[in-house]
Amino acid sequence: MWSMPLIVTGTIGIDTIHTPTGSAEAVLGGSATYFAAAASFYTPVRMVAAVGGDFHDGYRTTLSRFPEVCIEGIDVRPDSKTFSWGGRYMENMNVRETLFTELGVLAEAPPATPQRYRDSKYVFLANTHPGVQRELLEGFPNRAIAVADTMNLWIETAKDDLVALMKQIDGLVLNDEEAALLTGRRNPITAGKAILDMGPSFAVIKKGEHGCIMVHREGIAALPAFPTDLVIDPTGAGDSFAGGMMGHVARTHAESHFGGEGVTFDMLQQGLAHGTVVASFTIESFSLDRLAELKKDAIDERYRQFSAAVQI
Ligand code: AMP
């Protein structure tokens, strides 16, 4: 399977989270981390990200609980600090505020991509500065698909880079607020179409507990979220969703279309369902705690429940 691997670039973060029911101090997070953990249930994942000297062994031990995640691409900078982020969720867990963002290594040069990762076919540019996302994308000339995530901070502060990035990627994943901010359109379908006009072939617009919509050049797909009332900490739901989606796409494309057709609408549509199911586990605990003890059987079982719940 290593011949057609999935790669993720993005942040490794040290997060401090407050929710209406509890808090977690300096726990492992980051866009690339959640993505890689979730995708690793489907396919091996290579991770490219930078950390500082404060990235201690406890965080490494957590990462090692995902044996399909290759961490050789983690660039350790002993004299710098790991990206860290603080967030607080309101009573309505769909709404969160950022308490602080300490860029640390993110303010420096992008992490170096190991030479042996350059053959990666499936590329996910998890949330980080879009200028860095562009630079990293150049490192994967053999890619079959490149998808990026972004957020309001970068739409507000680095829009030119983001617009340039959008001309080079196949898909963009973002939430409904971010899609509205980027396009000036509140309706997710109209916003999705405006995103396609900017370059990508598809846009996946996430709507938190209300599910997601994919606007694709070949059609539209929509799915609810997994119906659950067990929400301890929504952090990482978006990245895990993308991880499940891309993990499924990488596996099915590699298996059935080796060297042939591109990634199809159907693969992406099914990917939305896998992403939804994996994300529903992420939110059952703080940090990666739930994913770290998760077995693929439990994902498959919940996928069956989800299929039954959305059957029409
Ligand atoms: P999500 O809940 O899926 O949006 O992802 C939350 C994760 O994104 C947290 O673990 C943070 O460490 C990370 N994060 C927060 N802000 C940023 C940012 N501006 N750029 C990249 N990653 C971020």
Side-chain angles (χ1 to χ4, degrees):
M1 265 214 275
W2 281 109
S3 59
M4 300 280 278
L6 172 61
I7 194 155
V8 59
T9 67
T11 59
I12 292 177
I14 298 179
D15 290 348
T16 292
I17 314 284
H18 304 281
T19 74
T21 52
S23 298
E25 197 77 35
V27 291
L28 180 62
S31 58
T33 314
Y34 278 108
F35 178 95
S40 73
F41 291 99
Y42 294 85
T43 192
V45 196
R46 298 164 165 179
M47 204 173 165
V48 171
V51 295
D54 53 350
F55 194 74
H56 60 64
D57 285 348
Y59 300 125
R60 269 173 231 285
T61 306
T62 306
L63 278 178
S64 70
R65 295 182 67 183
F66 301 92
E68 295 298 324
V69 176
C70 178
I71 57 170
E72 276 172 41
I74 296 182
D75 184 353
V76 184
R77 301 177 182 172
D79 297 330
S80 304
K81 290 193 80 177
T82 305
F83 168 70
S84 86
W85 177 78
R88 181 193 305 280
Y89 291 85
M90 308 302 146
E91 206 56 51
N92 167 0
M93 293 263 228
N94 261 345
V95 182
R96 83 174 172 208
E97 63 171 332
T98 289
L99 299 177
F100 63 86
T101 300
E102 286 172 16
L103 293 178
V105 291
L106 285 204
E108 303 168 4
T113 302
Q115 193 61 28
R116 69 177 202 86
Y117 283 2
R118 283 178 61 88
D119 63 351
S120 300
K121 286 276 190 287
Y122 308 98
V123 180
F124 189 75
L125 305 165
N127 193 11
T128 191
H129 191 292
V132 171
Q133 290 176 309
R134 282 175 70 198
E135 257 184 86
L136 289 163
L137 183 61
E138 282 170 19
F140 313 111
N142 301 328
R143 59 187 183 265
I145 184 171
V147 179
D149 186 3
T150 195
M151 72 179 295
N152 45 7
L153 175 68
W154 309 123
I155 298 169
E156 279 160 357
T157 63
K159 187 150 179 197
D160 291 350
D161 280 316
L162 181 59
V163 168
L165 174 74
M166 287 170 69
K167 295 186 176 34
Q168 298 170 296
I169 54 176
D170 301 287
L172 184 68
V173 179
L174 70 184
N175 71 31
D176 48 357
E177 292 295 325
E178 293 155 355
L181 188 64
L182 176 61
T183 63
R185 310 297 171 93
R186 280 227 74 86
N187 177 293
I189 306 295
T190 319
K193 288 180 178 165
I195 290 170
L196 302 198
D197 288 340
M198 297 166 86
S201 302
F202 66 92
V204 177
I205 299 178
K206 300 168 290 179
K207 290 146 51 67
E209 66 185 357
H210 303 298
C212 65
I213 293 177
M214 175 170 70
V215 180
H216 190 290
R217 292 202 192 285
E218 289 173 24
I220 290 176
L223 264 189
F226 182 77
T228 179
D229 56 2
L230 182 55
V231 185
I232 302 296
D233 170 19
T235 307
D239 304 304
S240 308
F241 167 85
M245 178 183 96
M246 290 293 289
H248 170 81
V249 165
R251 194 183 60 188
T252 50
H253 184 265
E255 279 170 7
S256 60
H257 293 266
F258 190 89
E261 214 184 310
V263 171
T264 63
F265 180 90
D266 287 352
M267 289 175 194
L268 289 165
Q269 186 172 22
Q270 279 174 21
L272 301 179
H274 287 279
T276 299
V277 168
V278 184
S280 75
F281 286 105
T282 301
I283 63 179
E284 290 181 359
S285 75
F286 284 100
S287 186
L288 294 141
D289 295 357
R290 181 68 179 102
L291 292 184
E293 57 166 34
L294 188 60
K295 298 276 178 285
K296 185 69 166 63
D297 287 354
I299 297 179
D300 294 343
E301 173 54 27
R302 192 169 286 187
Y303 188 84
R304 278 191 287 278
Q305 289 169 14
F306 188 51
S307 304
V310 297
Q311 209 153 41
I312 46 171

